[in-house]
């Protein structure tokens, strides 16, 4: 049987109170940091999913999003490079609708079932923009999830699946649009969302021969809380006991990642042999019926990831900060010293291993770890006698820190890594008053704030306090 053996989630640390987006609105939504996008969030979820898993055994890496940072450049290939995946690993990007996450999951399940792959990682992430002042801006949230699909799964098996396509103009974004567009609410929900999701779930239950009352938890795509409850009631579900909390009040609608994130939340509360239904919507519907493994103890790693990541938060001070981070307002361009160079595609390619999986070197004579890689050991002076070591998954402690006045006082620090090695990195998701010598930190893959972009996005590792 094919199913899910591991899951990972990423909820950005930043939140914005909805009352800043509309007077009297309750709750808050997750906001990607200034240096985050769908790629970096997918990397975070993938690393969370593969904690304790041998990454070298993965045969495929899929990425799904309606907001990839590139229209022509593979994000899944970047994720593979960060994960130190084997060169022959099959990578693919999925996009085009909010079903992209479950579409990628469907392809992964079928490939493993057919025997063309043993293990496939599926990562979905979104960072969608609603026009300022609209309900879409108020309900959207940013986040990512990842699932590890394999035969003889450790957490839950996929027993049945159903899919329908649907041609409809309800929610869309053209190639020239910055914001997501939507038609009138009543049409969107009655002619699209409600009709299609109900049809998809009905087909799934017919195929399974089960009754929805047999299902312990149902994960529905929820554009807004009221619509999710309305759909659940129309299906005959008890919203209080069977409907998975959509986390709209604390996170928001995370687009392609939403079904996978809510499925992970449902798993954390599941009992052995429970049935869990997961559905998605976007130009059609996908629905999967999972059966939780017998004798399974959840959470599998002894901690509830979702609750920790929801509790771990910082609040944006105002709406203008959100607009600046998403580049929705223009501010005067800072003067850039002529000595600041442009990024180089050739240099990035040449240093791929040093950048993406953060490879350093370990001296074969004395065991000293160094970054960046050197030819001579700083401790025993042996020459050209090193092995490459992966440093990005190491935790560390802040040895010293300062601020870069040229980059709006960005904090920078020297980090002593566990097991040896010292790296000089930007510090992110942290205020100046929080910084303390010897504070524990972890590394996080983020977008670099380039002063001369030259049409490129550049990514590298930064350090952030360990709050979980």
């Amino acid at each position: 049987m094919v199913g899910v053996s591991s899951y990972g989630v990423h909820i950005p640390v930043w939140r914005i109170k909805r009352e800043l987006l509309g007077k009297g609105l309750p709750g808050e939504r997750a906001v990607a940091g200034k240096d985050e996008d769908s790629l970096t969030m997918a990397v975070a979820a993938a690393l969370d999913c593969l904690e304790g898993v041998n990454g070298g055994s993965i045969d495929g890496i899929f990425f799904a999003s309606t907001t990839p940072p590139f229209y022509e450049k593979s994000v899944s290939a970047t994720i593979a490079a960060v994960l130190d995946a084997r060169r022959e690993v099959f990578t693919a990007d999925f996009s085009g609708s909010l079903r992209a996450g479950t579409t990628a999951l469907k392809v992964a399940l079928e490939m493993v079932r057919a025997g063309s792959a043993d293990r496939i990682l599926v990562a979905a992430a979104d960072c969608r923009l609603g026009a300022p002042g609209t309900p879409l801006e108020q309900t959207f949230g940013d986040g990512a999830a990842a699932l590890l699909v394999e035969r003889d799964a450790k957490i839950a098996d996929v027993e049945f699946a159903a899919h329908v396509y649907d041609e409809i103009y309800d929610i869309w974004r053209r190639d020239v649009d910055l914001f997501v567009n939507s038609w009138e609410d009543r049409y969107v929900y009655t002619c699209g969302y409600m009709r299609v999701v109900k049809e998809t779930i009905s087909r799934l239950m017919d195929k399974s021969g089960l009754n929805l009352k047999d299902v312990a938890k149902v994960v529905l795509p929820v554009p807004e809380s009221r619509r999710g409850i309305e759909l659940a009631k129309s299906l005959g579900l008890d919203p209080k006991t069977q409907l998975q909390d959509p986390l709209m009040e604390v996170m928001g609608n995370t687009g392609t990642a939403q079904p996978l994130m809510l499925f992970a939340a449902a798993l954390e509360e599941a009992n052995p042999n429970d049935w869990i239904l997961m559905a998605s919507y976007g130009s059609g519907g996908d629905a999967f019926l999972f059966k939780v493994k017998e004798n399974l103890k959840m959470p599998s790693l002894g901690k509830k990831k979702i609750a920790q990541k929801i509790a771990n938060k910082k609040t944006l001070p105002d709406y203008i900060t959100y607009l600046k981070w998403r580049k929705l307002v223009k501010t005067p361009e800072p003067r850039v010293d002529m000595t600041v160079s442009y990024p180089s595609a050739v240099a990035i390619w040449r240093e791929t291993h040093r950048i993406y999986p953060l490879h350093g070197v370990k001296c074969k004579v004395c065991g000293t770890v160094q970054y960046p890689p050197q030819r001579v050991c700083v401790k025993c002076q042996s020459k050209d006698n090193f092995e490459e070591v992966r440093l990005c998954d190491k935790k560390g402690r802040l040895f010293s820190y300062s601020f870069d006045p040229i980059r709006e006082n960005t904090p920078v620090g020297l980090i002593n890594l566990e097991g040896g090695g010292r790296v000089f990195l930007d510090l992110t998701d942290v205020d100046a008053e929080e910084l303390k010598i010897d504070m524990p930190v972890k590394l996080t893959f983020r977008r670099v704030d380039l002063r001369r972009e030259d049409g490129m996005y550049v990514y590298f590792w930064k350090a952030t306090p360990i709050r979980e």
Side-chain angles (χ1 to χ4, degrees):
M1 192 65 72
V2 177
V4 173
S5 280
S6 179
Y7 64 89
V9 290
H10 175 72
I11 302 174
V13 71
W14 295 100
R15 306 285 189 276
I16 185 168
K17 297 286 185 185
R18 286 205 173 91
E19 62 184 7
L20 294 178
L21 306 176
K23 188 176 181 181
L25 292 176
E28 56 194 17
R29 50 159 290 191
V31 174
K34 179 183 178 182
D35 53 0
E36 288 187 290
D37 60 20
S38 293
L39 186 157
T40 65
M41 293 193 295
V43 166
L47 291 171
D48 190 42
C49 180
L50 296 181
E51 185 178 354
V53 176
N54 176 16
S57 64
I58 295 173
D59 302 311
I61 295 174
F62 295 167
F63 168 75
S65 176
T66 63
T67 54
F70 302 101
Y71 292 131
E72 186 170 336
K73 185 178 185 309
S74 171
V75 171
S76 57
T78 304
I79 297 173
V82 171
L83 298 179
D84 258 338
R86 292 176 286 113
R87 286 284 289 167
E88 65 269 29
V89 162
F90 179 67
T91 59
D93 291 19
F94 297 76
S95 190
S97 91
L98 294 181
R99 276 197 299 144
T102 52
T103 302
L105 176 63
K106 169 69 174 177
V107 174
L109 290 166
E110 294 302 327
M111 284 183 64
V112 173
R113 187 173 285 121
S116 59
D118 291 329
R119 280 179 151 186
I120 296 179
L121 178 77
V122 177
D126 250 337
C127 186
R128 302 159 76 206
L129 289 175
T134 64
L136 295 181
E137 183 191 48
Q138 296 153 8
T139 54
F140 285 174
D142 305 329
L147 300 178
L148 182 62
V149 174
E150 67 176 348
R151 190 179 297 278
D152 300 325
K154 297 179 177 62
I155 296 180
D157 294 323
V158 177
E159 300 275 353
F160 303 97
H163 315 275
V164 300
Y165 74 89
D166 196 60
E167 167 49 41
I168 185 171
Y169 244 116
D170 56 350
I171 302 288
W172 73 95
R173 184 163 57 91
R174 300 173 300 170
D175 57 355
V176 295
D177 290 330
L178 177 61
F179 303 113
V180 175
N181 298 296
S182 172
W183 202 255
E184 180 263 326
D185 266 12
R186 187 174 55 178
Y187 165 76
V188 168
Y189 292 115
T190 58
C191 298
Y193 173 72
M194 298 279 287
R195 177 180 62 85
V196 171
V197 178
K198 284 176 69 175
E199 179 188 350
T200 310
I201 291 178
S202 176
R203 288 175 181 271
L204 177 71
M205 301 316 293
D206 288 345
K207 190 182 286 188
S208 69
L210 296 172
N211 190 294
L212 270 174
K213 295 189 181 305
D214 301 323
V215 180
K217 199 65 77 178
V218 177
V219 173
L220 293 179
V222 178
E224 57 177 275
S225 299
R226 181 168 61 93
R227 299 297 181 180
I229 293 173
E230 186 180 342
L231 175 59
K233 287 181 176 178
S234 72
L235 288 164
L237 298 169
D238 180 352
K240 291 184 178 177
T241 60
Q242 288 184 284
L243 179 62
Q244 171 60 41
D245 181 353
L247 305 175
M248 290 295 290
E249 298 303 310
V250 294
M251 184 175 74
N253 174 9
T254 53
T256 58
Q258 188 192 48
L260 278 59
M261 296 176 81
L262 299 184
F263 174 65
L267 282 176
E268 293 192 335
E269 303 293 337
N271 295 309
N273 294 317
D274 273 357
W275 289 99
I276 298 178
L277 189 156
M278 175 175 69
S280 67
Y281 173 72
S283 300
D286 293 330
F288 303 85
L289 197 53
F290 293 86
K291 189 169 188 180
V292 178
K293 303 291 283 191
E294 190 176 6
N295 300 323
L296 179 73
K297 289 184 178 179
M298 290 297 293
S300 58
L301 294 177
K303 60 182 180 182
K304 292 186 178 182
K305 297 180 178 181
I306 303 284
Q308 284 186 338
K309 293 176 190 298
I310 289 174
N312 176 24
K313 64 179 182 179
K314 295 169 67 69
T315 304
L316 289 183
D318 47 44
Y319 184 52
I320 194 68
T321 301
Y322 168 78
L323 295 176
K324 285 181 178 176
W325 282 8
R326 297 284 80 85
K327 300 187 185 304
L328 297 177
V329 291
K330 281 195 172 183
T331 54
E333 293 288 334
R335 288 183 177 274
V336 180
D337 193 296
M338 291 304 293
T339 59
V340 177
S341 60
Y342 289 95
S344 164
V346 176
I348 293 171
W349 175 79
R350 193 169 51 231
E351 301 286 353
T352 294
H353 286 203
R354 186 178 70 82
I355 295 172
Y356 294 102
L358 198 69
H359 279 191
V361 292
K362 183 177 183 179
C363 177
K364 291 182 178 177
V365 177
C366 68
T368 298
V369 177
Q370 295 176 219
Y371 184 90
Q374 306 291 327
R375 293 189 62 191
V376 178
C377 177
V378 294
K379 186 174 182 181
C380 71
Q381 284 74 55
S382 63
K383 187 177 179 183
D384 295 331
N385 195 14
F386 296 94
E387 60 175 329
E388 282 198 21
V389 289
R390 177 181 169 89
L391 301 177
C392 65
D393 45 12
K394 305 288 186 186
K395 295 175 182 175
R397 289 187 176 275
L398 184 61
F399 177 74
S400 70
Y401 64 90
S402 183
F403 301 91
D404 184 350
I406 298 177
R407 294 186 295 145
E408 300 178 337
N409 279 333
T410 299
V412 293
L414 278 171
I415 312 298
N416 285 339
L417 297 174
E418 290 177 347
R422 177 178 289 177
V423 290
F424 180 64
L425 301 173
D426 282 1
L427 304 168
T428 189
D429 293 343
V430 64
D431 296 321
E433 57 270 22
E434 295 179 83
L435 293 171
K436 291 181 176 58
I437 297 299
D438 207 37
M439 71 186 295
V441 297
K442 63 180 180 181
L443 306 190
T444 178
F445 194 66
R446 296 296 176 93
R447 188 187 286 189
V448 176
D449 185 17
L450 293 174
R451 299 176 65 204
R452 293 186 189 276
E453 289 191 344
D454 198 22
M456 298 176 67
Y457 294 145
V458 174
Y459 297 87
F460 194 58
W461 295 88
K462 299 183 180 181
T464 188
I466 297 175
R467 297 188 174 90
E468 299 165 6

